[in-house]
Amino acid sequence: QVQLVESGGGLVQPGGSLRLSCAASGTIFAVDIMGWYRQAPGKQRELVASFSSDGSTNYADSVKGRFTISRDNAKNTVYLQMNSLKPEDTAVYYCNTRGTMATSLARFNSWAQGTQVTVSS
């Protein structure tokens, strides 16, 4: 089993910054896809930013230039630096990690519990 632990959400004023982190633990052989999604009230969950298996990054148009995804492969941790936050960024943010288990070499697709980000004055 793979567990994901998120941290870094909270309340911030418009224009402010937050940094989310998500650490994966367990008997992991390799992590190849790591990403952040968000879900606002009454809306579908949407991709915010992600690393593909080839290491390339992908961002939602609404966050390009404001958010930056990064990762620490040694720690199986992914980060989301969010700058110039807007009220419309308010949502529950979820970390998603996909890879291969060490013991069985089975693929895993794990989701974190979610962290609330609220942008409000």
Side-chain angles (χ1 to χ4, degrees), residues 95-113:
C95 170
N96 173 247
T97 300
R98 307 173 204 181
T100 305
M101 301 296 295
T103 51
S104 62
L105 297 183
R107 295 285 297 170
F108 67 86
N109 182 358
S110 296
W111 290 87
Q113 77 283 2

Side-chain angles (χ1 to χ4, degrees):
Q1 252 187 339
V2 176
Q3 294 80 39
L4 301 181
V5 177
E6 288 184 3
S7 62
L11 173 63
V12 64
Q13 292 186 340
S17 298
L18 282 175
R19 188 190 193 212
L20 306 182
S21 65
C22 174
S25 62
T27 52
I28 299 171
F29 175 72
V31 173
D32 45 39
I33 298 173
M34 304 186 84
W36 292 94
Y37 292 72
R38 67 186 181 187
Q39 188 167 18
K43 295 187 176 182
Q44 289 188 332
R45 189 174 297 189
E46 62 174 359
L47 175 69
V48 176
S50 67
F51 278 103
S52 299
S53 56
D54 63 359
S56 60
T57 56
N58 183 42
Y59 292 93
D61 288 342
S62 59
V63 307
K64 284 180 180 177
R66 300 188 297 121
F67 290 11
T68 302
I69 189 171
S70 60
R71 64 191 289 179
D72 184 333
N73 290 329
K75 297 180 179 179
N76 286 330
T77 299
V78 63
Y79 306 94
L80 186 67
Q81 178 66 43
M82 304 184 292
N83 298 329
S84 302
L85 282 161
K86 305 175 181 180
E88 50 263 43
D89 294 318
T90 295
V92 178
Y93 284 69
Y94 297 91
C95 170
N96 173 247
T97 300
R98 307 173 204 181
T100 305
M101 301 296 295
T103 51
S104 62
L105 297 183
R107 295 285 297 170
F108 67 86
N109 182 358
S110 296
W111 290 87
Q113 77 283 2
T115 187
Q116 177 69 45
V117 171
T118 302
V119 185
S120 175
S121 56

